[in-house]
Amino acid sequence: MTNGNGTPPEAALPPQLNVLAQYTKDLSFENPNAPASLGAQQQQPAINIQINVNAGNVAENDYEVALSVEGKAESNGKVMFSFELIYAGVFRILNVPKENLHPLIMIECPRLLFPFAREIIATAVRDGGFPPLMLDPVDFVGLYRQNMERQAAQMQAAQVKPS
């Protein structure tokens, strides 16, 4: 029995995902109303977090994946703190079928980066004078599906528009 291209299945190379590098690409933390924002607060601040994933090919089998996390905490209409982090990694991906490559890059790679980004944000918020902000785990499968649905809707809307 062969795997479709004449090679016995035991000779097929297994898929590989290797992290070649990971790094902070951009980090910004703002505490615009300090020291007033550091005092006791009467209510919990409203915290808004946005997460995005971008990827690009940097070599034949190497991909840079950037996890962008932006957040802001507000209380009584004033910004207590805000941050922006772009945490990236370079991944070497080998022996993965083409149809599985995009989901692997956009789901598994950011999943590997997330714990490091989460720690950087917690530390930055703590060093800014606040209790550490521990981000909840992210459903990267759901985020991927949501982005694919949005892209499909945009493409469909573009095809419907008369030129």
Side-chain angles (χ1 to χ4, degrees):
M1 189 157 126
T2 65
N3 67 1
N5 63 5
T7 308
E10 60 272 6
L13 296 172
Q16 291 183 24
L17 171 64
N18 298 309
V19 182
L20 301 182
Q22 56 188 62
Y23 44 92
T24 300
K25 197 161 186 168
D26 183 32
L27 175 61
S28 170
F29 180 86
E30 296 179 19
N31 191 350
N33 293 305
S37 62
L38 299 176
Q41 301 296 318
Q42 294 179 357
Q43 62 185 24
Q44 287 282 16
I47 298 177
N48 182 18
I49 307 289
Q50 293 182 327
I51 297 175
N52 202 352
V53 178
N54 293 303
N57 196 253
V58 293
E60 184 180 351
N61 296 308
D62 298 348
Y63 302 86
E64 181 189 51
V65 178
L67 178 61
S68 301
V69 185
E70 294 181 36
K72 183 185 288 187
E74 294 179 294
S75 182
N76 298 322
K78 288 191 175 185
V79 174
M80 295 179 67
F81 64 83
S82 65
F83 63 86
E84 179 181 331
L85 171 66
I86 301 175
Y87 191 74
V90 176
F91 298 85
R92 179 161 294 151
I93 301 172
L94 300 169
N95 310 318
V96 173
K98 203 163 198 73
E99 65 272 9
N100 297 342
L101 191 59
H102 191 258
L104 179 69
I105 291 169
M106 300 303 284
I107 296 170
E108 290 306 320
C109 294
R111 191 182 320 219
L112 293 170
L113 295 173
F114 181 76
F116 300 96
R118 182 179 192 240
E119 179 60 31
I120 291 167
I121 291 166
T123 300
V125 171
R126 185 196 68 218
D127 290 349
F130 300 94
L133 176 62
M134 301 306 291
L135 298 178
D136 290 334
V138 175
D139 176 11
F140 286 104
V141 172
L143 183 63
Y144 178 75
R145 286 181 182 148
Q146 186 180 39
N147 286 338
M148 295 306 290
E149 288 170 5
R150 186 175 63 241
Q151 287 176 7
Q154 288 172 347
M155 288 177 64
Q156 192 172 29
Q159 290 174 352
V160 172
K161 288 184 182 177
S163 23

